[in-house]
Amino acid sequence: MSDRLRPVWVLAVGAGLILLALMWWYVIFGTIVSEGYGKYSQAAPCLWGTSGYTCQLMLSLCSVDYLLIPKAYRPELFQTGVLLMLSGGLFAALQRSRRM
């Protein structure tokens, strides 16, 4: 099984999800901040999904109307990317310890 699933693949998928989440967050909340409805410091907790009321208020003010970009940012994408990065790091450490 370790020949098929390599830590670098898990890390790469995790990094890709984090990058995608960051771009999505920036498109949504960057628009809101540029319209003067808040600051990046207020929108930063929304990346992880910890500030419920503030994030919901800012999202309700979002005027983004792109065909392929959902208007409601989902922090689960970022959380999954972080979880995969941590899992990949742990997986790599376990493989290194087995080789020794």
Side-chain angles (χ1 to χ4, degrees), residues 21-36:
L22 284 170
M23 290 185 324
W24 188 10
W25 176 87
Y26 182 74
V27 166
I28 300 298
F29 289 98
T31 303
I32 295 166
V33 170
S34 70
E35 291 175 356

Side-chain angles (χ1 to χ4, degrees), residues 68-79:
L68 297 176
I69 300 177
K71 192 171 163 177
Y73 170 76
R74 301 298 303 175
E76 291 86 358
L77 185 66
F78 184 79
Q79 295 167 356

Side-chain angles (χ1 to χ4, degrees), residues 24-86:
W24 188 10
W25 176 87
Y26 182 74
V27 166
I28 300 298
F29 289 98
T31 303
I32 295 166
V33 170
S34 70
E35 291 175 356
Y37 294 125
K39 300 177 183 174
Y40 283 111
S41 60
Q42 294 170 317
C46 303
L47 182 62
W48 183 257
T50 56
S51 179
Y53 177 73
T54 304
C55 296
Q56 291 303 320
L57 178 62
M58 291 179 88
L59 284 173
S60 71
L61 299 170
C62 182
S63 64
V64 170
D65 192 23
Y66 297 117
L67 181 63
L68 297 176
I69 300 177
K71 192 171 163 177
Y73 170 76
R74 301 298 303 175
E76 291 86 358
L77 185 66
F78 184 79
Q79 295 167 356
T80 303
V82 170
L83 181 66
L84 285 173
M85 290 287 290
L86 292 173

